[in-house]
Amino acid sequence: MEEIRKRFIQGFFILIALIYVSRLFYLQVIDETYKLDAENNAIRKLIQVPFRGLVYDRNKKLIVSNTVVYDLYVTPKKAKVADTLRFCEMFGITRPEFDSLTHLARIYSPVRPSLMLRQLSRQDYARVQDAMVDYPGFDFQVSALRTYDSKAMANALGYVGEISPERLLKQEETGEGYYRQGDYVGVTGLERQYEEQLRGERGIKYMMVNSRGVEKGAFKNGAFDKEPIAGKNLMTSIDINLQAYADSLMQHKVGSVVAIEPSTGEVLAMVSAPTYDPSLLSGRTYSKYFQTLNLNPLHPLLNRPPSAYYRPGSTFKIIQALVALQMGAISPGTGFGHGGSPINCSHNHPVASDVQKAIQYSCNPYFYQTYKRMIYKNSESNVFKKSAVGLAKWDEMVAKFGIGQSLEIDLPNEKKGKLPDVPYYDKMYKGELRWKFSNIASNSIGEGEIIVNPLKMANVAAIVANRGWYIRPHLVKGVGKIGDVDEKYKEKISVGIERRHFETVIGGMVAAVNNGTVSGDGRMSDIQMCGKTGTSQNRHGENHSIFIAFAPKVNPTIAIAVFVENAGSGGAHAAPIASLCIEKYIKGHSDRKAIETKWMNKGYPINIIRTTPKSDNSKNPSAKKDSVVKKVDEELFLTTPQSLPLIGAEKPNTFKIPMKPKR
């Protein structure tokens, strides 16, 4: 028995030894994987960068494609340059530039390839390829240059740029390991939002080289090579013809145009003016051109539709009317005169005897009284508590229109804006129950502390067009194929207002266009546009012009918002641009050539707000308070503030709107 046990133990250990020996034989003799990992001087590992996905418009027109270029990489430890002058002459660089580039490569890593020169053309590559045999440690890799078939839509598309050190460090922390120093990534817009889908999958190629670094062919006939997989194409919802047309209408201007298909939430056009030529940010001119754009005080790199701040002005009266009707604060036939309102109209018009006339003539006193009824529509007896309870209810209903909320568009850097609530005013007035309706009355006409972006107001137009619902705005209809999008871009979202109230408000919008606040240039004889004008107050120049609309009235196919900075009234300036865009989209052309030419050539003076030098106000409390108020005022009216301030430094009623604001 003891002998059997002894033999069993011996046999067990012999079996284990055989397994280990067999495994070692396989790894060292048969399996070539570890040989590849050693990456000795006889095998060169080449990373093959895939082509980024293409971008198409809604009609399958190509917007963004790729052109083949070549990037030169250097591995400092392997690099040998016997004739530096000849090398510099071949690539058109100076000796200091050569020294700087190789120094940066050594800092990055002595043993890893580092990008030295990028985006050499096919002609440049062919000219120097044979001579590179004399320069070991330098390798070319095929890359791609973003090429734009249209200069329109630059801000929404975004651009690609060299990956930042911060992004590389973050990648190392997450353990992803996809990018290398010198790689291109999406920096803004759709290029950034859909980076993972657009970038594709890298390929690997193993080449045999001799002692001089000359390639002798694929290792093992390419058995271990991995072909790169191109990125997926983006099928956008943009109508590139409408986009280019809207771009042309916004030349010489600062502002935005956003057009949406109401039934789907698909963005038809997204214009940010001024814009830039996207091709100049995709080549070797990137650094120089980027600095020029970045220092431009008009911020051409900013995508204004989702990111700029404005007060909605009288366009907000559409929401006020709908919420008030739903709450029962007013009925369709409710009328108000001008008496009892501290906010007057700046123009003469008939009495607003019902909701439709109030919208038609954009009557300020009417919406002051309407807002007051909504805020005070509760059973509280204390006027301060009554105001807080009323505002909370009003906030809840207005927020459903997307005001103060993120619409979750498929773009980075969307700003929520501001819908002031009870905690906001408690902080502003330094305590609870220290403010009442009279302190927030300017909200009634879309001024005060309400802040929106153009995208949000285009979505409001789509909500009205749909009679009470919307689908989140989005620019991509499919990734790789139509329909392959996030499910949230298919969901209908109700704003909780009965359809009958929308019909009432739409009647007023029709009247505003046909015989109200819209000028003659904004009217079309053969298309019924439903719109609302607005003027956003601007204390640093002429007011900003706003117009939101949809068309046709029945089965609408386009909803639009136009913002033109420093232009004046919405009906006289933004409305004609919106009507031309609507006509172009519905008919495919504009019959109003004289009006089209007029608004393409129209421009407005822009006042640039500059930061004033700091001064010591510690010994002058009054001056200190004035400087705080001035800073808050500037930040609220700038279109590119870093954050919305809480106005806690002010006393009640510091912000006062003019008694006769423009509509």
Side-chain angles (χ1 to χ4, degrees):
M1 187 68 180
E2 188 66 28
E3 184 67 23
I4 295 174
R5 182 179 298 172
K6 181 179 179 181
R7 290 185 181 279
F8 177 79
I9 293 173
Q10 288 176 344
F12 176 77
F13 280 106
I14 291 171
L15 178 63
I16 295 297
L18 287 172
I19 292 173
Y20 272 105
V21 170
S22 300
R23 182 60 178 164
L24 288 172
F25 178 80
Y26 175 78
L27 293 176
Q28 296 183 19
V29 179
I30 299 176
D31 190 2
E32 299 284 352
T33 304
Y34 288 87
K35 187 177 181 180
L36 289 174
D37 289 341
E39 291 183 342
N40 56 37
N41 292 331
I43 301 174
R44 178 178 296 162
K45 180 181 178 181
L46 301 177
I47 302 296
Q48 296 180 300
V49 179
F51 286 113
R52 287 181 74 84
L54 309 180
V55 183
Y56 295 87
D57 87 335
R58 68 187 296 108
N59 299 311
K60 299 182 180 179
K61 291 183 179 179
L62 189 61
I63 302 176
V64 185
S65 55
N66 301 298
T67 298
V68 174
V69 290
Y70 297 86
D71 295 336
L72 180 65
Y73 282 79
V74 59
T75 305
K77 195 168 184 178
K78 298 179 181 180
K80 294 181 181 179
V81 182
D83 189 342
T84 306
L85 180 60
R86 180 187 173 212
F87 184 93
C88 292
E89 288 176 348
M90 281 197 308
F91 290 100
I93 60 176
T94 63
R95 177 60 187 267
E97 287 174 333
F98 173 85
D99 292 338
S100 176
L101 291 168
T102 52
H103 175 67
L104 290 174
R106 281 192 296 271
I107 292 175
Y108 171 66
S109 173
V111 296
R112 297 171 64 182
S114 180
L115 179 66
M116 186 172 181
L117 296 173
R118 67 164 69 253
Q119 297 174 342
L120 301 174
S121 67
R122 289 176 182 267
Q123 293 77 13
D124 291 335
Y125 173 70
R127 178 172 51 82
V128 303
Q129 186 180 19
D130 292 338
M132 295 308 293
V133 173
D134 298 328
Y135 300 98
F138 293 88
D139 302 296
F140 284 105
Q141 290 187 18
V142 177
S143 184
L145 179 70
R146 276 312 222 187
T147 306
Y148 298 87
D149 291 60
S150 170
K151 293 183 180 181
M153 198 185 160
N155 297 82
L157 281 172
Y159 60 90
V160 295
E162 186 173 338
I163 189 168
S164 65
E166 293 78 15
R167 196 161 175 177
L168 276 174
L169 181 61
K170 185 177 180 180
Q171 173 188 253
E172 291 180 7
E173 293 173 351
T174 58
E176 181 185 358
Y178 182 88
Y179 299 106
R180 303 170 302 157
Q181 185 266 341
D183 281 349
Y184 265 27
V185 297
V187 180
T188 61
L190 292 177
E191 294 278 14
R192 178 174 178 176
Q193 186 76 15
Y194 289 92
E195 168 64 19
E196 290 188 12
Q197 293 88 343
L198 285 168
R199 72 187 185 187
E201 296 182 21
R202 293 187 185 281
I204 302 175
K205 189 174 184 179
Y206 297 97
M207 298 296 294
M208 297 291 295
V209 296
N210 63 17
S211 59
R212 297 193 63 198
V214 179
E215 294 181 357
K216 307 300 290 185
F219 177 74
K220 292 287 183 179
N221 294 320
F224 298 96
D225 293 352
K226 178 184 176 183
E227 291 297 321
I229 300 176
K232 294 182 179 179
N233 299 334
L234 293 188
M235 321 302 293
T236 73
S237 59
I238 294 294
D239 184 316
I240 200 62
N241 292 330
L242 175 63
Q243 177 77 33
Y245 184 73
D247 265 347
S248 66
L249 289 170
M250 289 299 291
Q251 62 185 343
H252 317 305
K253 306 172 185 68
V254 176
S256 303
V257 176
V258 183
I260 297 174
E261 184 176 66
S263 61
T264 63
E266 294 174 359
V267 177
L268 302 171
M270 180 174 282
V271 174
S272 181
T275 186
Y276 59 91
D277 182 350
S279 63
L280 295 177
L281 285 183
S282 67
R284 300 177 73 176
T285 59
Y286 170 85
S287 297
K288 180 180 179 180
Y289 192 54
F290 178 83
Q291 287 300 323
T292 301
L293 293 173
N294 197 39
L295 295 173
N296 189 321
L298 296 180
H299 308 288
L301 289 173
L302 174 72
N303 190 21
R304 283 177 163 79
S307 301
Y309 285 143
Y310 304 90
R311 286 166 175 151
S314 292
T315 58
F316 192 73
K317 293 172 182 176
I318 294 295
I319 297 176
Q320 293 283 53
L322 290 167
V323 171
L325 288 166
Q326 183 66 30
M327 289 177 64
I330 60 172
S331 67
T334 299
F336 292 112
H338 286 191
S341 171
I343 307 176
N344 299 324
C345 281
S346 60
H347 55 290
N348 295 319
H349 63 77
V351 173
S353 56
D354 56 38
V355 173
Q356 291 189 350
K357 286 186 173 57
I359 295 172
Q360 177 182 0
Y361 300 119
S362 196
C363 181
N364 289 332
Y366 187 98
F367 287 97
Y368 170 88
Q369 298 292 357
T370 297
Y371 185 51
K372 186 175 183 179
R373 280 199 180 186
M374 286 190 282
I375 296 300
Y376 284 160
K377 188 175 173 56
N378 59 76
S379 59
E380 296 292 338
S381 56
N382 181 292
V383 68
F384 295 98
K385 192 168 185 179
K386 195 179 189 71
S387 298
V389 171
L391 181 66
K393 178 61 178 176
W394 178 82
D395 271 326
E396 178 186 346
M397 298 184 71
V398 172
K400 292 180 179 179
F401 286 81
I403 308 301
Q405 317 300 313
S406 172
L407 294 176
E408 300 182 47
I409 189 171
D410 52 348
L411 282 175
N413 302 321
E414 179 194 353
K415 299 295 188 296
K416 291 183 179 181
K418 189 69 185 179
L419 177 60
D421 55 13
V422 173
Y424 180 90
Y425 286 117
D426 287 345
K427 189 168 185 177
M428 176 188 287
Y429 294 101
K430 300 180 180 179
E432 298 180 1
L433 304 181
R434 298 186 64 180
W435 55 272
K436 57 185 185 298
F437 171 76
S438 60
N439 301 117
I440 63 173
S442 53
N443 291 336
S444 62
I445 59 170
E447 296 294 341
E449 291 73 42
I450 302 170
I451 303 295
V452 299
N453 58 43
L455 171 67
K456 211 171 292 292
M457 296 313 296
N459 193 56
V460 169
I463 291 169
V464 181
N466 291 331
R467 278 67 171 176
W469 59 269
Y470 70 97
I471 294 175
R472 290 180 180 88
H474 54 284
L475 287 91
V476 172
K477 298 178 66 174
V479 180
K481 62 179 181 179
I482 298 293
D484 184 14
V485 294
D486 194 310
E487 289 299 314
K488 69 182 180 183
Y489 297 126
K490 301 176 183 179
E491 174 191 1
K492 286 186 178 181
I493 301 172
S494 172
V495 297
I497 306 291
E498 295 176 41
R499 183 183 179 92
R500 60 192 177 95
H501 299 316
F502 284 94
E503 298 300 343
T504 299
V505 166
I506 289 170
M509 295 173 72
V510 169
V513 172
N514 294 345
N515 191 29
T517 54
V518 174
S519 69
D521 283 358
R523 297 168 186 163
M524 295 172 283
S525 60
D526 52 350
I527 298 174
Q528 181 56 70
M529 179 174 69
C530 309
K532 180 69 190 78
T533 58
T535 304
S536 180
Q537 292 184 32
N538 173 23
R539 303 188 185 196
H540 305 285
E542 190 65 55
N543 291 332
H544 303 319
S545 178
I546 308 175
F547 185 69
I548 66 173
F550 66 88
K553 178 183 177 183
V554 180
N555 298 321
T557 57
I558 181 173
I560 194 168
V562 176
F563 284 61
V564 186
E565 296 184 19
N566 297 276
S569 69
H573 302 275
I577 295 172
S579 72
L580 287 166
C581 289
I582 287 174
E583 184 179 23
K584 173 71 173 179
Y585 182 70
I586 292 177
K587 297 165 63 175
H589 63 276
S590 174
D591 295 324
R592 299 174 294 158
K593 294 301 179 183
I595 294 175
E596 176 183 87
T597 301
K598 171 184 175 181
W599 289 98
M600 283 185 178
N601 295 324
K602 181 75 172 176
Y604 303 93
I606 304 297
N607 292 311
I608 307 299
I609 302 173
R610 303 188 183 279
T611 304
T612 55
K614 293 183 179 180
S615 58
D616 183 12
N617 296 320
S618 58
K619 297 181 180 180
N620 188 344
S622 176
K624 184 176 182 180
K625 185 188 75 171
D626 291 344
S627 67
V628 170
V629 171
K630 183 174 184 295
K631 179 179 183 297
V632 169
D633 178 44
E634 289 184 354
E635 287 183 348
L636 279 171
F637 281 92
L638 276 170
T639 61
T640 58
Q642 296 300 313
S643 60
L644 271 171
L646 289 174
I647 317 174
E650 297 181 77
K651 291 184 177 180
N653 291 326
T654 297
F655 273 94
K656 291 183 179 180
I657 60 173
M659 292 299 99
K660 295 184 179 182
K662 298 179 181 179
R663 64 177 181 273

